[in-house]
Amino acid sequence: MNGHRVLVTGGGGFIGSNLANELAEDNDVVALDDGYLGTPANVSDEVTYVDKSVLDDDLPTDVDVVFHLAALSSYAMHEDDPTHGTRVNVEGFVNTVEQARDDGCDTVVYASTSSIYGSRTTPSPESMDVTVNTGYEASKMARETYAEYFHNHYDLSLAGMRFFSVYQGYGGAEEHKGEYANVIAQFADDMANGDAPVLYGDGTQTRDFTHVNDIVRGLVQAAEHELDGIYNLGTGEAFDFRTVVEMLNDELGTDIDPEFVENPIPDDVYVHDTCADASKMRAATGWEPQISFEEGIERVCRQYN
């Protein structure tokens, strides 16, 4: 992507700032964030930072492409205040897309979630039946439904990206997320400081860990191809938490056993296993993850070594 004017909502957050900084090398980029999970410290000087909520009027949507990443992005955030979570994730999405449409922008790429697949150890395709067990999942499914409406009624291109366990480590913008950061970042920071990583249950749960750089490339390619519909972004490989700890010990040169605690998230809503089938995205754009999990672990630990 080159020479475009771009809006990234949630642009001060983890994924959003990585995307905004990457695009700013060749494009005019506006990062919009309300400061809940983002900070202007995450974005480069080449990015225009706007302190606003996606619920506000007069958003800077006079752009060529909108990347809508702003969201309350976890089960816990929604359970704290379900009404507010719905407003931000659903109303904020509709508000942003509607203002973009009024300003003549017809290309939107937005964040959905892989959580709606539930627990699966085999790769999950976009075509499979999904169920909604949490307010967070319901809000992302509502985005997908409204995106279908905007496409069918107004002929806009809206690509919903279902992310799989995105990580970078505290050496990047993920640090600002704190307790909401990916477990890899939290485990690595604990272990580098001599503390035991805390694993829920027996640590056998698995995740399709996908490096943020690969996610950013996928988002950009979705916009470049003006995709419409739903697409997975994940590696197709899954690793359990015990293995993550072992790999972090090897990379950090530590020998720290994890601490196992009872899972505070109810079993009926906790996603135990995830794994992506990204063949649809691959066929549409040629996207492939480029950072292996071994390299990703090394990158996470680099700041400590």
Side-chain angles (χ1 to χ4, degrees):
M1 186 178 294
N2 189 294
H4 290 74
R5 180 165 169 79
V6 177
L7 170 63
V8 181
T9 70
F14 167 37
I15 299 174
S17 63
N18 274 279
L19 175 64
N21 292 340
E22 175 70 20
L23 288 173
E25 295 181 9
D26 299 301
N27 302 274
D28 180 11
V29 180
V30 178
L32 181 144
D33 206 289
D34 66 0
Y36 179 59
L37 287 175
T39 171
N42 282 341
V43 301
S44 68
D45 293 338
E46 289 73 29
V47 175
T48 301
Y49 190 88
V50 176
D51 185 0
K52 267 182 174 288
S53 166
V54 291
L55 295 169
D56 291 342
D57 297 326
D58 300 320
L59 299 178
T61 49
D62 183 15
V63 296
D64 301 307
V65 180
V66 171
F67 291 94
H68 186 75
L69 305 184
L72 297 187
S73 56
S74 78
Y75 163 77
M77 292 179 197
H78 275 261
E79 294 310 302
D80 287 343
D81 190 342
T83 301
H84 180 62
T86 302
R87 289 202 66 210
V88 172
N89 283 14
V90 183
E91 183 182 340
F93 174 73
V94 174
N95 184 49
T96 301
V97 176
E98 186 65 18
Q99 290 188 48
R101 184 180 70 83
D102 287 344
D103 284 333
C105 175
D106 59 5
T107 303
V108 178
V109 180
Y110 66 95
S112 185
T113 180
S114 62
S115 296
I116 57 175
Y117 293 124
S119 292
R120 283 174 56 91
T121 55
T122 55
S124 302
E126 296 88 346
S127 59
M128 68 172 281
D129 291 336
V130 296
T131 57
V132 170
N133 295 312
T134 69
Y136 168 65
E137 294 167 3
S139 71
K140 291 303 184 76
M141 282 297 291
R143 280 188 177 188
E144 294 183 3
T145 301
Y146 270 103
E148 184 178 8
Y149 150 68
F150 278 116
H151 173 69
N152 291 339
H153 197 65
Y154 295 110
D155 198 29
L156 305 183
S157 296
L158 297 102
M161 314 308 289
R162 292 176 178 171
F163 302 148
F164 281 74
S165 203
V166 188
Y167 74 99
Q168 182 179 30
Y170 285 168
E174 192 173 9
E175 183 170 9
H176 189 74
K177 291 189 72 173
E179 65 179 304
Y180 297 112
N182 190 281
V183 294
I184 294 177
Q186 297 189 56
F187 291 173
D189 198 63
D190 286 340
M191 295 166 67
N193 288 286
D195 297 323
V198 177
L199 275 60
Y200 292 166
D202 60 4
T204 60
Q205 59 269 69
T206 62
R207 295 288 180 272
D208 185 334
F209 294 106
T210 311
H211 195 275
V212 70
N213 288 13
D214 285 326
I215 295 293
V216 165
R217 284 191 309 100
L219 290 167
V220 172
Q221 289 181 24
E224 290 176 334
H225 286 79
E226 297 182 351
L227 297 184
D228 188 78
I230 305 302
Y231 297 84
N232 288 334
L233 285 181
T235 70
E237 292 186 296
F239 295 85
D240 67 73
F241 288 11
R242 287 174 177 261
T243 298
V244 171
V245 172
E246 291 174 4
M247 294 174 70
L248 288 171
N249 268 320
D250 289 343
E251 189 62 39
L252 292 168
T254 52
D255 185 18
I256 301 175
D257 292 327
E259 176 186 352
F260 297 95
V261 301
E262 184 177 351
N263 191 344
I265 302 174
D267 289 342
D268 59 345
V269 300
Y270 184 68
V271 177
H272 194 275
D273 305 286
T274 68
C275 189
D277 176 350
S279 57
K280 182 180 177 182
M281 184 65 179
R282 187 179 305 113
T285 68
W287 177 86
E288 293 276 3
Q290 294 181 349
I291 299 177
S292 69
F293 192 52
E294 292 76 12
E295 180 183 349
I297 289 287
E298 188 276 327
R299 291 190 182 201
V300 169
C301 296
R302 192 174 292 169
Q303 65 166 320
Y304 304 111
N305 292 330

